[in-house]
Every structure is written in C-alpha cells, then in structure tokens.
Amino acid sequence: MGKLELLQTLTGHKGIAWNVSWHPQGQVFASCGEDKMIKLWSKEGQEWTVKTVLVDGHQRTIREVAWSPCGNFLASASFDATTAIWDKKSGQFECNATLEGHENEVKSVAWSPSGQLLATCGRDKSVWVWEVAGEDEYECEAVLNAHNQDVKKVAWHPSLDILASASYDNTVKMYKEDSLDSDWSCIATLQSHESTVWSLAFDKTGERLATCSDDKTVKIWKEYKPDNQEGVIVSDRESVWKCVCTLSGYHTRCVYDITWCHKTGLIATACGDDIIRIFKEADDSDSNAPTFELVCTQLNAHSQDVNCVAWNPAGNEELLSCSDDGEIKIWKFSE
Amino acid sequence: MASRFSGALQLTDLDDFITPSQECIKPVKIEKMKTKTGAKIKIGDDGYFDVSSGREQKLQKVEITLADCLACSGCITSAESVLVTRQSQEELLRVLSERKHTDLRGVTNDVSLVVVSMSPQPILSLAVRYKLSPEDATKKLAGYFKSIGADIVLDMTVAEDLSLLETQQEFLQRYQEQQADPNSKHLPMLSSSCPGWVCYAEKTHGNFILPYISTTKSPQQIMGTLVKRVLAQSRQLNPSTVYHVTLMPCYDKKLEASREDFYSELLNCQDVDCVITAIELEQMLESSGKSLCEVPGAELERVWGEDEEGAGEGGAVLMGHAGSGSGGYAHHVFLHAAQQLFGETDVPVVYRNLRNPDFKELVLEKDGKEVLKVAIANGFRNIQNLVQKLKRGKSPYHYVEVMACPSGCLNGGAQVRATEAGGGRELVGALERLYAQLPRAAPARRAHALYTRWLAGRHSDKANALLHTSYHALQKSDIALNIKW
C-alpha cells in the first residue's frame, strides 16, 4: 500500500478554499476561494509561503484558477460571471483582461495545450471557447449549449484542441472545431454516471478520461477511433468514448475532483467524506477493461469536504488538496 | 430534445423546459378578502376552494402567459406549453375551424377575416424540403393556407421594403445626431429585426445596449400593423376580428408577436395573432397525410395597391433583398448612406470576412480614409464579441446587422432541418443560393404607394408611430438562495 505524507498545511484563505492550480513547472501554485482572493505560493527553503495576493479582481467567490501552459498567464473563474486573466508584464501580477458573457456564476476555466484557447463554463448551462486574439484581447469563438443543466468543469485534451465538459445533467460532452466554418460543435456525449459529474481528467495520451461524480463512482473512459482494432462502431467518423471501468464501493460520498498524473499515471480523488484516495492501474490491466487498485486512503485528509486535488506536473508525486475547511495541504505520495 | 430557439435565447434560460426556473419572479396577484381570520382553503380533487365565506368558491388557477414571461427576467417559460397554447399549429387549426379567437388577454372574438403573411425564408425552406421551385412553393403554400380556411394569403415583401426604408432613414438621422454630439449613443446603430437578439439585449445588457438598437419594427411587426390597420380599415372590419397569421423561419418570432408593445389598446388586438414556422408547417402537412407537392396552388393577393405603380418586377410572386438572406439590412444601409452622406453612387459592395464567415464588414473609403463601416454579425458568438467591443469602446462600426442564428434567418431555428447528419451546412448553402436567385425587390418604388396612400407620406408622424417601436431593459433579480456550487 502507498502512503500520503503530509508535508505542510497552509492556511490563509478565509472561508472555503475552492481550488488550487500548479504552475506548469511545478514550483509555484495558485489557490483561490470564497474570500475573493487568489494567492500565489512558492517554496522558501523547505516551507511553502504566500508570495503574492491578488485582490480586487472579482466581486464574488473565485471558484477556479488555471495557469496557461507557458506559465505567464493565470485565469480565474468567478461567481461574479466573469473570468479574469492575470499576467505580470508590468513586473507584478495584474488583471489585464476580463472575459464577460456568462449570464451568472462561472464554475471552471481551462487553457488549451497551445495556450491559444480558453474554455469556461457555468451555471448558465453553457460552455464558451475563447481565443487569444492579441495582447490582452480575447474573442469569443463559440458558445456551446449542449448541456441542459449547470456545467461544473471544463478540461482540454493534453495535446489536441478537443474540449470536455462535465455537468449536473450527469453527462460529459466533448467538442471540437469544424475547420470549414470555424464553428465548434459537440462530437461526443459520455453517458453512464447516475448523478452530477463534478470533474474530469485526461490521461497523458488523451485517449482515456477519468470522471468523478455525485453517484460516488469514478469512471474510466476509453476513446475508440474510427476503424479501431476492437471493431467498436463509430458514426460520422468521430471517435466513440466508452466507459471501460467503474470504480464503485470506494467513495462514501460525492466525489468532487479527480487528477490523473501524466508522469506517474496515478489517479487521486477528492471526496465529500473528507478522504483523499489514490488509485493505481494494475500491471496486467487490459486496455478494454482496465483494473485500478486503491493504493492509498488518507482518512481525515481535511476536516470537511475535499474540493480539489492536483498532482504536481513535475511528476514528483507531490499532491495538493484544498477544502471547505479553508486549508490547503501539500502531500507526498510514496508506494 | 433540442430547443428550437436561437442560441441567444437559449442562454437567457428560454429553453428551460425541464424544471421551472427558481428565478421566476412574476408576482401573482392575490385578491384580498375582507375577513379578519384570513381565508380557509380546501383542497378538492378538481381544484382549490375558498370556504371562508361559508360556501365553497372555486379558486382560479394561476396561469402564466407568455406575456408574463416576457416581462420577467427570471426564466422565460418553464414549459414550451406556454407558447404552445397560443402559438401552435393546433391553435391555428382550431381558430380556423371555429372562426373564434381568444387573444393573449383572454378576450374572445369572432373571426371575420383570416390573413396569412409569408416571409421568404420559410418558403424557401419548404421549397427545398418538397423539391419545388420557390414560385411553385409560394403558390402551393398559399393554396394550402386557403384550403385550411385562410381568406387572404400575402407575401411579406412590402413589409420588408418598409422596414429597410425606415432603417435607412433612421440611420441617416442617427448619423447626423452623432456628428452633432459625438458623446451620444446613436451609433453604431444595431439592427432590430431579430427578436432573439432584441430579447437577449433587453434581458442581459439592458440600458447599455438598447439605445443603439434601431427603433424600426421588424418586417413581421410592420406586416402586423399593415394588416390590422390598413387592410382592416380598407375592408371596414373591426381589427380585433381579423386573425393574422405569419409564416416565419424561427420560434423567437412567436415571442416577438406576443410583446405588449405590439398590442394596441385602441384596437384591442395584437398585430400578429399566431406565428407558424417552417417546421410546424411541415408537421401540419404530414399529420394531414399530404405532401406540399400535391396541394393545388393559389395566387397571392395584392392588397396594397403596389401594382398600380407598375412596380415592374414582372409580377414575380416571391422576391428577395440584396445583401443577405436575413433581409439585406447592412447592404441597404451601406448603399443608401454612401449616396446620401458621401455622394457615392457606384460603390462596390465587397464584404471582407473577419474571424469567421458569420462576421463580415463593408467599408467605404474616401481619400484613403474609412468613412463608413458596416458589418453583419450572425450567431451568438459574434454577438458576444460585438457587445464586448462596444463595452470597451472599440467597435469601429456605424451600423451592424445582427442576427442570433449562425448564417442569419435562412438558417433560422425553425427552418426544416437537414435530413442527414452534417447536411446542415449544405442545406444553408442551397437556401442562400436560392435566395440570391430570387428577383430583387426595389424597396423605394414598391413602398411609395403605401406611404402616400396609407401612412400620410414618408417621415409623417403617422408613419413614425406605426413603423417604429421601443425596447425595455429588464432588471435582473438574482436570488442568493438559488446558488449551486
């Protein structure tokens, strides 16, 4: 069995700590919360400390933060219906662009692998795709109304401009751009969860997706491309995504977040039962019916709901978590 | 189930047909009773009964009408049934057979005359669907409406003409006012014929954007005015007994027809009583087991005296306007303004595509300077970019033709869908080619007779009152209790 060692507990947010996001190099991370603040943390000696506090960007709760792949921009999604883009061109971090358009709460924001596109989603049931159109200029590329309920999370494929979204309508949808008229459309609907899908994470190949839900399960989905060897039928020359594994019986409450390490292949989940769990794919796992083993259960990881988990992209098995209890924790996993 | 409303309206909760929105804030009027103890209410099998007066009195059910929904900034309708009650094919067939109509305010009138006005986009949609020429489709649709009880079937060209002429005139006026006061909000002028866009602007951007929106009524509502005032008057009919049906390319037109602004207190009636779309017409034909091809054709009526002027369009039954399948607003404003403001008559009309084919612009240069810049912005994403540019003071345009649907009205949300998956783009392409091949209407010539005969001349108070409307910002009420994480 593996073990999660607590490296440090960070306090600093008043009220709920909603989300943490690693800088792509893994030496800095950002956190956000109910207190409308964004904090940037880095290591001083052995201690993680707050280096910068970004205030006055939003008028309500900040639900999610995301670093651009180049690491120069930070996007923040807020319940005030806006998404702010921060950068430090002037030497210190400032909000230099605000994306407006959502009717109400923005729940999630994500940068595409190229950093040229951004996706946002929210309570208005829509998913928006924005394009970086110049310095501090962002243009709306698409407004996607495929979901019929609140959209909780957006995530990009690790190497292609394919977007996935998770919703209160129990489904996950995928989208891509049609080059003919540069319009985006839904290319797949992933249906199997029995309640709200809260979060999702691609593996490093982008050919598998892990989702977590209020139905207390985690599901692994596999992409079957046109003309796949397995003979899975596709339509319109678009890939089909099939649920190939359901992890049930592990989580006792809603699973709020999931992170799939692109270096180690480990999956970590954040759950409403205050527990962080880590799953590892078995060595003899069949790609069409994979097996994942629970390798670590960190009881009382937080004193309340765990809202977010994030593997350090450097692959050093450091894991960040944050919670309703306002705390951020840094863990180190070892087998 | 996919909503047939435009993308803009879907975002404003209009497709909220699954659960009633918690933001519905329409207050229900409660008749206060003069008792000290309050009312006693009994729940029966067939309703609620007030028993406080000693005898049972059945309480009225609360009904939320479409007009209520339009006045609220919460959800717009928790069920499409609200729309369906007054704006459906079933209602149309019922009114035509009973010759009785109950309006949005619950007043029932006998129907003395049924008038159907057809706009070109759904006609083309049905022409393609049934593989008919536009002319044959027009005649067969006229024949079909007559066969189910319509008395008069008209095309909407004349209303489109008037809408374009008024738009051109309004633009010149706004341009001059903006020159006089550069800080005013007269420009850019934004088109108003798309009800999805107007409804979105009212509900989401309110007083910021509304001053820019053209006050000129849409062709549908101008047609409504003409039918209920001019036509009814010329036939000496009480307008509230004239039942006016329009055939339109989108569902949003039903909302437009239901607006309070288009109810006349004086005449006690709505200008348009029922909006039927291409999809619904196809369903009507299917449910009666007919193909449009086998319906005997009929001629369109000519009731406005337009032929007296020898309009010279060779008696074409269906006409289009240059510039775009949405009615050619940007095109007509551009050419008229180039001529009137800059004395340019032979201006080349070359659209420049911007970020995507649904956002393009037309520029008039004089002495190397851009003096006039108009654009067409179709689809919700381009509406967004336009609104954001305006908010940041970065919009370079004088006029923008704005339509909520990608590709504009030919791709309206209630046009007959492509049968094959992915065939949508080809279908829109086919409709665009068909529209471009239609004989071109010449607005000024055709509308002349109407202005002089019925509207007391151009620019008259009467013409202004009848051909223009106004918009109303809706206050957002966000109830904190509704927050979901």
Side-chain angles (χ1 to χ4, degrees):
Chain A
M1 282 301 263
K3 177 168 146 275
L4 261 188
E5 178 196 353
L6 178 63
L7 297 181
Q8 202 179 334
T9 300
L10 307 169
T11 52
H13 282 288
K14 287 196 195 77
I16 298 168
W18 276 119
N19 187 254
V20 284
S21 169
W22 283 104
H23 185 275
Q25 263 106 57
Q27 278 149 18
V28 172
F29 71 87
S31 65
C32 64
E34 202 179 10
D35 58 8
K36 303 171 228 163
M37 281 195 250
I38 298 168
K39 301 200 170 188
L40 305 184
W41 308 76
S42 67
K43 234 170 171 176
E44 212 164 78
Q46 286 308 301
E47 293 284 296
W48 287 87
T49 51
V50 176
K51 284 291 152 67
T52 311
V53 180
L54 307 179
V55 290
D56 299 332
H58 292 288
Q59 287 153 18
R60 288 181 61 191
T61 291
I62 303 174
R63 186 66 176 83
E64 193 167 299
V65 279
W67 287 99
S68 64
C70 66
N72 294 330
F73 300 90
L74 182 71
S76 57
S78 164
F79 284 3
D80 68 9
T82 70
T83 304
I85 312 291
W86 309 76
D87 65 60
K88 57 174 185 181
K89 283 195 290 273
S90 66
Q92 56 188 15
F93 270 96
E94 283 176 337
C95 172
N96 285 317
T98 306
L99 313 185
E100 290 177 46
H102 278 287
E103 280 256 295
N104 39 45
E105 290 88 337
V106 186
K107 302 282 177 81
S108 177
V109 58
W111 297 83
S112 71
S114 67
Q116 285 305 299
L117 301 170
L118 266 148
T120 57
C121 66
R123 181 178 157 203
D124 64 14
K125 308 170 192 168
S126 64
V127 171
W128 295 49
V129 180
W130 311 79
E131 188 174 315
V132 183
E135 194 167 315
D136 302 335
E137 285 288 330
Y138 295 80
E139 295 248 10
C140 169
E141 274 288 290
V143 179
L144 299 157
N145 288 303
H147 287 293
N148 54 38
Q149 292 292 338
D150 206 6
V151 189
K152 300 294 188 188
K153 198 76 150 194
V154 279
W156 290 92
H157 185 285
S159 53
L160 304 172
D161 283 345
I162 290 175
L163 178 67
S165 63
S167 164
Y168 191 76
D169 68 9
N170 307 354
T171 70
V172 169
K173 304 248 179 200
M174 291 204 190
Y175 317 86
K176 75 169 187 193
E177 186 182 14
D178 191 319
S179 52
L180 271 178
D181 55 4
S182 73
D183 209 355
W184 288 71
S185 57
C186 178
I187 50 165
T189 299
L190 283 59
Q191 221 156 357
S192 179
H193 279 296
E194 287 162 10
S195 186
T196 304
V197 188
W198 275 93
S199 189
L200 68 180
F202 282 98
D203 75 348
K204 65 169 181 239
T205 65
E207 288 166 5
R208 292 200 293 177
L209 182 75
T211 57
C212 63
S213 161
D214 184 48
D215 67 10
K216 302 176 197 153
T217 71
V218 164
K219 288 181 188 280
I220 310 293
W221 309 75
K222 179 172 156 51
E223 177 185 17
Y224 290 91
K225 293 179 180 158
D227 308 319
N228 59 80
Q229 289 185 337
E230 290 84 356
V232 174
I233 295 162
V234 308
S235 59
D236 299 330
R237 308 295 299 163
E238 293 291 355
S239 293
V240 164
W241 288 78
K242 287 181 109 60
C243 177
V244 289
C245 171
T246 299
L247 301 172
S248 58
Y250 297 109
H251 300 89
T252 63
R253 299 188 71 165
C254 176
V255 193
Y256 288 117
D257 199 19
I258 189 157
T259 174
W260 198 334
C261 183
H262 290 180
K263 293 271 166 52
T264 64
L266 293 169
I267 289 175
T269 60
C271 184
D273 58 13
D274 311 344
I275 298 172
I276 294 173
R277 292 176 178 81
I278 294 172
F279 297 87
K280 188 179 179 207
E281 187 165 10
D283 295 336
D284 58 350
S285 178
D286 168 5
S287 76
N288 293 310
T291 347
F292 283 81
E293 289 158 357
L294 178 66
V295 293
C296 179
T297 305
Q298 182 62 47
L299 297 173
N300 302 314
H302 285 273
S303 62
Q304 291 178 49
D305 290 4
V306 189
N307 290 320
C308 170
V309 280
W311 288 112
N312 190 320
N316 59 6
E317 305 202 323
E318 270 180 4
L319 182 75
L320 278 173
S321 66
C322 65
S323 158
D324 275 8
D325 65 15
E327 291 181 346
I328 297 161
K329 290 186 175 178
I330 306 172
W331 311 83
K332 175 92 177 173
F333 177 75
S334 52
E335 295 213 30
Chain B
M1 176 184 168
S3 169
R4 292 189 198 117
F5 290 109
S6 64
L9 281 185
Q10 287 181 45
L11 204 72
T12 48
D13 258 358
L14 226 149
D15 65 338
D16 189 9
F17 49 83
I18 290 182
T19 48
S21 165
Q22 293 172 333
E23 284 155 38
C24 180
I25 46 102
K26 186 68 188 171
V28 175
K29 191 179 169 197
I30 297 167
E31 295 293 341
K32 281 264 166 72
M33 304 275 268
K34 283 181 189 153
T35 59
K36 286 178 192 131
T37 53
K40 251 190 211 166
I41 292 170
K42 189 179 104 182
I43 302 169
D45 289 339
D46 53 346
Y48 295 81
F49 299 88
D50 185 344
V51 292
S52 33
S53 60
R55 61 191 169 88
E56 287 189 3
Q57 196 177 2
K58 186 166 181 180
L59 290 172
Q60 278 200 321
K61 264 195 273 181
V62 175
E63 274 189 47
I64 297 177
T65 68
L66 191 54
D68 288 332
C69 291
L70 284 170
C72 165
S73 69
C75 75
I76 176 139
T77 146
S78 60
E80 284 184 312
S81 63
V82 177
L83 269 181
V84 164
T85 51
R86 295 281 179 260
Q87 299 266 358
S88 64
Q89 64 238 44
E90 290 81 13
E91 171 75 0
L92 171 65
L93 291 171
R94 201 186 56 72
V95 170
L96 294 189
S97 73
E98 294 175 9
R99 301 291 282 193
K100 266 191 184 22
H101 166 238
T102 306
D103 71 13
L104 284 174
R105 304 199 169 183
V107 180
T108 303
N109 281 304
D110 285 335
V111 171
S112 63
L113 187 73
V114 175
V115 181
V116 177
S117 304
M118 305 193 293
S119 75
Q121 294 89 358
I123 296 179
L124 294 182
S125 173
L126 291 160
V128 169
R129 163 68 180 82
Y130 292 103
K131 300 189 174 65
L132 293 165
S133 70
E135 185 160 339
D136 281 347
T138 309
K139 290 183 175 167
K140 286 179 179 295
L141 281 167
Y144 175 69
F145 279 117
K146 293 216 157 165
S147 76
I148 59 170
D151 300 302
I152 294 181
V153 182
L154 303 168
D155 71 287
M156 239 183 241
T157 316
V158 72
E160 291 169 348
D161 288 345
L162 286 174
S163 186
L164 284 171
L165 292 171
E166 289 296 312
T167 296
Q168 289 174 333
Q169 182 57 33
E170 184 185 347
F171 180 77
L172 294 185
Q173 204 173 335
R174 280 174 177 259
Y175 186 90
Q176 277 144 10
E177 280 162 7
Q178 188 76 25
Q179 296 290 26
D181 176 7
N183 294 322
S184 62
K185 291 181 78 169
H186 292 98
L187 293 182
M189 174 167 148
L190 308 176
S191 68
S192 61
S193 70
C194 170
W197 150 239
V198 169
C199 190
Y200 171 75
E202 287 183 325
K203 290 205 169 197
T204 312
H205 297 288
N207 289 326
F208 171 76
I209 219 87
L210 296 182
Y212 297 113
I213 297 184
S214 165
T215 60
T216 302
K217 283 185 189 172
S218 71
Q220 169 174 284
Q221 294 312 131
I222 287 181
M223 198 66 189
T225 304
L226 293 178
V227 166
K228 289 289 171 105
R229 308 198 185 229
V230 176
L231 185 67
Q233 191 193 334
S234 75
R235 309 220 164 182
Q236 293 168 334
L237 293 170
N238 176 353
S240 61
T241 67
V242 175
Y243 186 68
H244 184 204
V245 183
T246 58
L247 176 65
M248 302 304 292
C250 79
Y251 260 63
D252 300 356
K253 284 284 168 191
K254 293 174 188 267
L255 301 177
E256 182 182 39
S258 310
R259 287 172 72 98
E260 283 276 317
D261 308 81
F262 302 131
Y263 182 90
S264 162
E265 296 287 347
L266 194 69
L267 308 179
N268 287 318
C269 66
Q270 211 75 30
D271 290 337
V272 175
D273 298 293
C274 182
V275 177
I276 288 296
T277 63
I279 282 184
E280 288 163 305
L281 203 106
E282 186 196 22
Q283 287 168 353
M284 287 166 77
L285 285 162
E286 272 176 13
S287 61
S288 61
K290 272 186 219 151
S291 157
L292 188 59
C293 307
E294 61 199 55
V295 175
E299 295 296 322
L300 293 181
E301 258 80 9
R302 307 236 161 224
V303 294
W304 313 115
E306 59 261 53
D307 293 335
E308 291 167 27
E309 300 295 309
E313 276 104 11
V317 288
L318 187 63
M319 275 181 277
H321 288 93
S324 74
S326 311
Y329 287 88
H331 180 98
H332 284 80
V333 165
F334 182 75
L335 290 182
H336 190 67
Q339 187 193 20
Q340 296 289 317
L341 297 171
F342 303 102
E344 300 282 338
T345 43
D346 277 319
V347 189
V349 179
V350 184
Y351 286 94
R352 187 160 68 197
N353 272 2
L354 296 169
R355 300 182 56 76
N356 51 63
D358 268 335
F359 204 154
K360 45 191 177 183
E361 62 182 29
L362 261 176
V363 182
L364 176 66
E365 284 191 18
K366 231 181 158 175
D367 309 323
K369 242 187 86 194
E370 291 186 344
V371 290
L372 184 65
K373 208 163 179 173
V374 307
I376 297 177
N378 291 329
F380 190 57
R381 57 178 169 164
N382 292 318
I383 288 183
Q384 274 310 310
N385 290 327
L386 176 69
V387 169
Q388 295 310 324
K389 278 208 174 74
L390 266 173
K391 284 198 163 173
R392 282 180 272 147
K394 286 184 173 175
S395 161
Y397 302 112
H398 295 97
Y399 179 83
V400 188
E401 175 182 315
V402 187
M403 302 292 159
C405 293
S407 307
C409 297
L410 286 171
N411 185 36
Q415 294 277 74
V416 178
R417 302 285 97 187
T419 41
E420 292 151 51
R425 193 174 299 111
E426 283 157 40
L427 179 58
V428 173
L431 290 173
E432 281 169 349
R433 283 190 297 279
L434 271 185
Y435 187 86
Q437 287 161 7
L438 292 178
R440 292 284 163 83
R445 227 170 2 177
R446 264 172 70 103
H448 184 69
L450 259 165
Y451 272 119
T452 41
R453 217 160 133 183
W454 303 107
L455 298 165
R458 277 197 84 168
H459 322 315
S460 68
D461 288 348
K462 186 171 182 185
N464 282 339
L466 291 182
L467 303 178
H468 290 261
T469 182
S470 58
Y471 311 103
H472 327 281
L474 288 167
Q475 282 298 316
K476 274 202 132 168
S477 64
D478 208 350
I479 303 165
L481 281 174
N482 297 334
I483 295 170
K484 279 185 286 192
W485 306 119

